[in-house]
Amino acid sequence: QMCIRDRSKEHIEYVKKQGIIQLVKNLKKNIGSQFAKEKDQFLWGDEIEFHLVKKGADGKFKLQINTEKIFQKVNSDYPFIVQPEYGAWMLEVVPKDVFNQQTTLNEILSSLKARKEKLSQILGEDEYQLHVPSYPFLGVGDFYHQREETNHPVDYMSDNEEEYKELEHNTKCKVEERIVEKTKKNIFSRSWFSSDEIINPHPRFATLTRNIRQRRQEKVCIQVPLFLDTFTNPGVTTEEPFQKHIYMDAMSFGMGACCLQVTYSTYDFNQARHLYDQFAVISPLMLAITAGSPIFKGKMANIDTRWRVISQLSLIHI
């Protein structure tokens, strides 16, 4: 069930309290466990995400927003688990077996390769994996294939639609009628460029989109610097209201970016803090080495990572 922010406020304190109680119980339960006794056992794992695209009859590639079908095809015999992500075109693939300190680099590469090859075998005709952080044409024209079935977050709305009707986002720039009409259809994001149809059908993703916007009391406002060359128009336009910047107005521009995530288990809080401090040093280096997002909304940006986009998603202007 979807729960709008105003209605959820009365439950916040209860949820916080129960969360703390659950954490304490789990800590007590695991103290003295077999894992805690094995201090030298260092377990870790990865999650790799990618975009699903499909080649159309016109030879153009667009996002394919039917990843639910892939979930149905992956069975218990597969050496990995496929999990949903924010975007209905995104897939997150996690190996079933965890790694440890004896895991070699070749074993890790073999795991990544096996997951990619196995998934390719169950993709539909003309469907492909795209392993880049940000899809470069998200929000540009007709950038995705329409759903084959009706299974959209709007289906979960209550009969009382008045709960979901809100005022249009205030903006100083003039907005064309076509953009206004598109915004009205996007009841969760109120986006000019993206579409609520590409949000994962699970109710929590659409709820997250709307609740963050309601908490901010405005739409997401992502601005990344535009790469300027001789032929670049740096001025203000209908769709680019901020000079010399690329404007993105929906969660999908940030939460729709893919990455390779690594999760580590630690023996205690001290070990966790030590590990965190080491990552604080090497993370900027890894960000630079893996930079692969130079294009947003079809325009060349003056940045090349997704970090600056994601960091602007939850900013609240007071």
Side-chain angles (χ1 to χ4, degrees):
Q1 289 292 327
M2 306 182 77
C3 187
I4 60 177
R5 182 170 178 266
D6 289 341
R7 189 187 299 171
S8 66
K9 286 181 180 179
E10 59 185 281
H11 306 294
I12 291 178
E13 290 306 317
Y14 173 81
V15 172
K16 287 181 178 179
K17 180 179 179 181
Q18 294 302 313
I20 294 173
I21 292 174
Q22 185 179 42
L23 173 63
V24 173
K25 286 185 176 180
N26 282 329
L27 286 174
K28 289 182 177 180
K29 178 181 177 181
N30 288 286
I31 290 177
S33 66
Q34 184 65 25
F35 171 72
K37 294 176 182 177
E38 299 175 355
K39 293 185 179 182
D40 296 331
Q41 185 74 344
F42 181 70
L43 305 178
W44 63 283
D46 73 76
E47 306 168 8
I48 188 168
E49 303 167 348
F50 62 87
H51 309 278
L52 181 64
V53 297
K54 182 178 180 179
K55 184 179 181 181
D58 58 358
K60 296 181 179 180
F61 287 87
K62 300 179 182 179
L63 295 179
Q64 178 74 320
I65 56 172
N66 68 341
T67 50
E68 310 96 88
K69 289 187 175 182
I70 295 180
F71 300 144
Q72 298 169 3
K73 293 180 181 179
V74 177
N75 56 47
S76 57
D77 296 332
Y78 283 67
F80 55 81
I81 301 170
V82 178
Q83 301 180 148
E85 259 297 339
Y86 179 88
W89 73 93
M90 301 170 67
L91 287 171
E92 180 179 271
V93 188
V94 183
K96 285 184 178 178
D97 297 328
V98 298
F99 302 138
N100 55 42
Q101 66 267 37
Q102 277 82 41
T103 304
T104 66
L105 180 59
N106 285 336
E107 290 174 323
I108 298 170
L109 292 175
S110 296
S111 174
L112 292 170
K113 184 179 180 180
R115 279 177 269 170
K116 184 177 180 179
E117 292 178 348
K118 195 72 174 180
L119 274 172
S120 295
Q121 297 172 8
I122 61 176
L123 295 183
E125 184 178 0
D126 293 325
E127 291 182 348
Y128 301 90
Q129 304 172 45
L130 180 61
H131 290 265
V132 296
S134 298
Y135 183 68
F137 299 107
L138 184 67
V140 181
D142 185 18
F143 64 92
Y144 65 95
H145 292 282
Q146 297 294 321
R147 287 182 177 275
E148 298 175 4
E149 302 92 7
T150 301
N151 187 15
H152 182 261
V154 175
D155 300 336
Y156 297 95
M157 288 176 58
S158 71
D159 294 332
N160 182 11
E161 291 193 13
E162 292 300 322
E163 296 178 355
Y164 301 93
K165 291 182 178 178
E166 302 171 22
L167 295 174
E168 298 295 336
H169 172 60
N170 294 325
T171 179
K172 295 181 180 179
C173 60
K174 294 181 180 180
V175 183
E176 295 180 7
E177 185 63 26
R178 63 184 176 85
I179 296 181
V180 173
E181 290 304 312
K182 185 173 183 180
T183 305
K184 288 180 180 178
K185 294 179 182 179
N186 292 331
I187 62 174
F188 299 104
S189 67
R190 295 298 190 203
S191 176
W192 294 356
F193 314 109
S194 187
S195 170
D196 285 356
E197 189 179 7
I198 69 173
I199 300 174
N200 188 294
H202 193 288
R204 74 184 178 101
F205 294 106
T207 305
L208 171 70
T209 302
R210 183 183 52 215
N211 286 354
I212 287 181
R213 178 170 53 78
Q214 290 178 339
R215 184 183 179 191
R216 290 169 55 100
Q217 298 182 359
E218 62 181 5
K219 285 198 302 183
V220 171
C221 184
I222 302 169
Q223 301 175 49
V224 297
L226 182 66
F227 179 80
L228 301 176
D229 63 10
T230 306
F231 303 100
T232 304
N233 176 14
V236 172
T237 64
T238 300
E239 297 188 0
E240 297 297 351
F242 303 100
Q243 191 174 32
K244 298 181 181 180
H245 282 77
I246 303 170
Y247 170 53
M248 294 169 278
D249 66 345
M251 294 281 292
S252 56
F253 289 102
M255 297 296 288
C258 296
C259 71
L260 171 64
Q261 302 174 18
V262 181
T263 305
Y264 298 91
S265 65
T266 56
Y267 171 67
D268 55 22
F269 287 121
N270 289 331
Q271 190 181 71
R273 291 191 189 100
H274 178 78
L275 191 60
Y276 182 90
D277 289 343
Q278 310 312 307
F279 285 144
V281 177
I282 68 172
S283 291
L285 301 177
M286 296 300 298
L287 190 65
I289 292 172
T290 59
S293 302
I295 302 173
F296 298 94
K297 221 176 68 179
K299 298 181 177 70
M300 185 69 71
N302 204 24
I303 60 173
D304 53 11
T305 70
R306 68 172 194 155
W307 176 251
R308 190 161 176 177
V309 174
I310 292 181
S311 64
Q312 295 181 64
L313 287 181
S314 58
L315 291 177
I316 300 175
H317 303 286
I318 300 176

